[in-house]
């Protein structure tokens, strides 16, 4: 009897050790590129052009790459401000529009409701590259071409199918009896939405916000084509300009410094909202 218990404990210990080793290995795979970029960004420009191994600086840590990045064009803070402006505006508009649309698709009945929802979801299958030319023409007609406002409109439009899908599923997961009880107490539709329903669908809102921020923060192609003024470039476009460098040379240290700066807001946003993010995806998966 003792031997069986010992064997069981030993088997459980072995399984736990194996799971921990697999977890550590997966964590290493995810963290290694981040650590690599951070270490290379502290190499001197001359050392960053040498073979990448070892990834850490061998001639001492240097902030020259960050200085080169800051001195390029209008300065790193101008492009960071452009990216933050575009990303935050995209998050706010995506959340507000998808919140109202998701609530409408979930709680109200109107003609062609299901067909309209399927039509919105179907736009996910349209390649973004195929609509760039029509978007360019539309923005030119509206006077929004080469403006951050135009870029925000494009990003919000691209986020709508997934955001509306997430918010409709989030509202569907809330029992209708809660809303009916608030209506009986005399609450209006707007009050029910913002006082009763919004706290209950907060995980879905966080999921939409995270996806909208990451997509707009890292988006490159639309910003490259629709923005022609260097003062309005976002950080991904700046990375391409830095890579070209003077006489076509590539400043790998400045590139890695830019990559390091770009991933900091993404990590902060994800770490702040990760608990809502998991719950939001789970609620969407159930429905």
């Amino acid at each position: 009897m003792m031997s069986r218990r010992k064997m069981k404990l030993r088997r459980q210990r072995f399984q736990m050790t194996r799971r921990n080793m697999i977890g550590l290995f997966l964590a290493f795979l995810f963290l290694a590129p981040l650590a690599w970029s951070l270490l290379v960004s502290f190499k001197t420009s001359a050392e960053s052009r040498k073979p990448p191994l070892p990834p850490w600086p061998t001639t001492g840590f240097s902030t020259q790459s960050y200085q080169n990045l800051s001195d390029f064009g209008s300065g790193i803070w101008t492009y960071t401000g452009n990216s933050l402006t575009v990303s935050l505006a995209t998050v706010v508009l995506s959340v507000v529009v998808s919140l109202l649309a998701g609530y409408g698709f979930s709680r109200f009945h109107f003609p062609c409701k299901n067909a309209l929802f399927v039509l919105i979801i179907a736009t996910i299958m349209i390649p973004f590259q195929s609509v760039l030319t029509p978007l360019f023409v539309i923005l030119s007609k509206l006077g929004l071409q080469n403006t951050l406002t135009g870029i925000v409109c494009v990003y919000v439009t691209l986020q709508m199918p997934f955001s509306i899908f997430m918010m409709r599923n989030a509202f569907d997961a809330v029992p209708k009896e809660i809303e009916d009880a608030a209506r009986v107490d005399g609450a209006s539709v707007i009050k029910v939405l913002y006082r009763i329903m919004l706290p209950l669908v907060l995980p879905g809102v966080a999921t939409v916000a995270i996806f909208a921020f990451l997509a707009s923060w890292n988006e490159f192609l639309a910003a490259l084509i629709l923005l022609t003024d260097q003062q309005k470039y976002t950080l991904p476009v700046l990375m391409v300009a830095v890579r070209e460098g003077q006489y076509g040379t590539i400043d790998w240290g400045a590139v890695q410094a830019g990559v390091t700066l770009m991933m900091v807001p993404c990590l902060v946003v994800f770490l702040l909202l990760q608990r809502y993010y998991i719950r939001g995806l789970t609620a969407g998966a159930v429905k």
Side-chain angles (χ1 to χ4, degrees):
M1 189 68 183
M2 287 297 294
S3 61
R4 285 186 178 178
R5 185 177 300 173
K6 285 184 178 178
M7 288 181 61
K8 184 178 180 181
L9 290 174
R10 187 176 300 173
R11 194 181 306 117
Q12 290 178 344
R13 199 172 301 157
F14 173 74
Q15 290 176 348
M16 185 178 296
T17 304
R18 187 177 60 179
R19 284 197 294 268
N20 291 336
M21 293 299 294
I22 293 175
L24 289 174
F25 177 71
L26 293 176
F28 173 78
L29 289 181
F30 280 100
L31 293 177
L34 307 183
W36 190 296
S37 296
L38 180 63
L39 291 172
V40 173
S41 69
F42 286 107
K43 290 183 176 180
T44 61
S45 297
E47 190 179 3
S48 63
R49 288 193 291 268
K50 294 181 180 178
L53 292 176
W56 53 85
T58 57
T59 58
F61 282 81
S62 170
T63 58
Q64 182 182 354
S65 298
Y66 290 93
Q67 187 62 45
N68 293 341
L69 191 67
S70 178
D71 294 338
F72 187 86
S74 302
I76 185 66
W77 297 116
T78 300
Y79 305 116
T80 303
N82 293 340
S83 285
L84 277 177
T85 301
V86 169
S87 301
L88 294 178
T90 302
V91 169
V92 172
L93 290 176
S94 297
V95 167
V96 171
V97 175
S98 63
L99 186 73
L100 297 174
Y103 185 62
F105 276 113
S106 174
R107 290 296 194 260
F108 293 96
H109 298 282
F110 50 87
C112 303
K113 169 184 165 183
N114 293 330
L116 182 60
F117 183 73
V118 171
L119 184 63
I120 292 174
I121 298 301
T123 57
I124 296 177
M125 296 184 290
I126 301 175
F128 172 61
Q129 293 81 357
S130 65
V131 297
L132 264 176
T133 302
L135 284 175
F136 184 88
V137 174
I138 292 173
L139 291 180
S140 299
K141 296 283 186 184
L142 296 175
L144 295 177
Q145 195 269 331
N146 191 31
T147 63
L148 296 182
T149 304
I151 289 292
V152 171
C153 292
V154 172
Y155 290 170
V156 172
T157 304
L158 295 176
Q159 289 300 312
M160 278 304 101
F162 171 78
S163 301
I164 292 175
F165 175 75
M166 284 296 303
M167 291 314 303
R168 195 199 73 160
N169 288 347
F171 282 113
D172 284 347
V174 178
K176 292 185 178 178
E177 288 76 9
I178 297 176
E179 186 178 354
D180 293 338
R183 292 279 184 86
V184 170
D185 291 339
S188 63
V189 175
I190 300 299
K191 190 174 289 185
V192 168
L193 175 60
Y194 288 102
R195 294 261 180 103
I196 308 297
M197 302 297 283
L198 182 57
L200 298 175
V201 298
L202 205 55
V205 173
T207 305
V208 169
I210 290 176
F211 271 87
F213 183 84
L214 296 182
S216 55
W217 180 263
N218 295 312
E219 205 284 330
F220 165 72
L221 184 60
L224 178 67
I225 294 176
L226 301 176
L227 294 176
T228 55
D229 186 357
Q230 191 177 3
Q231 294 280 341
K232 298 174 182 174
Y233 281 172
T234 54
L235 281 175
V237 182
L238 171 66
M239 291 302 100
V240 175
V242 170
R243 283 190 52 168
E244 290 175 353
Q246 192 175 14
Y247 305 120
T249 57
I250 299 175
D251 190 347
W252 289 109
V255 171
Q256 295 301 333
V259 171
T260 303
L261 290 177
M262 282 190 64
M263 69 183 176
V264 170
C266 300
L267 291 174
V268 171
V269 169
F270 182 77
L271 292 176
L272 288 177
L273 302 178
Q274 60 174 333
R275 58 176 178 164
Y276 299 109
Y277 172 71
I278 300 299
R279 288 167 55 192
L281 284 184
T282 305
V286 171
K287 287 291 179 178

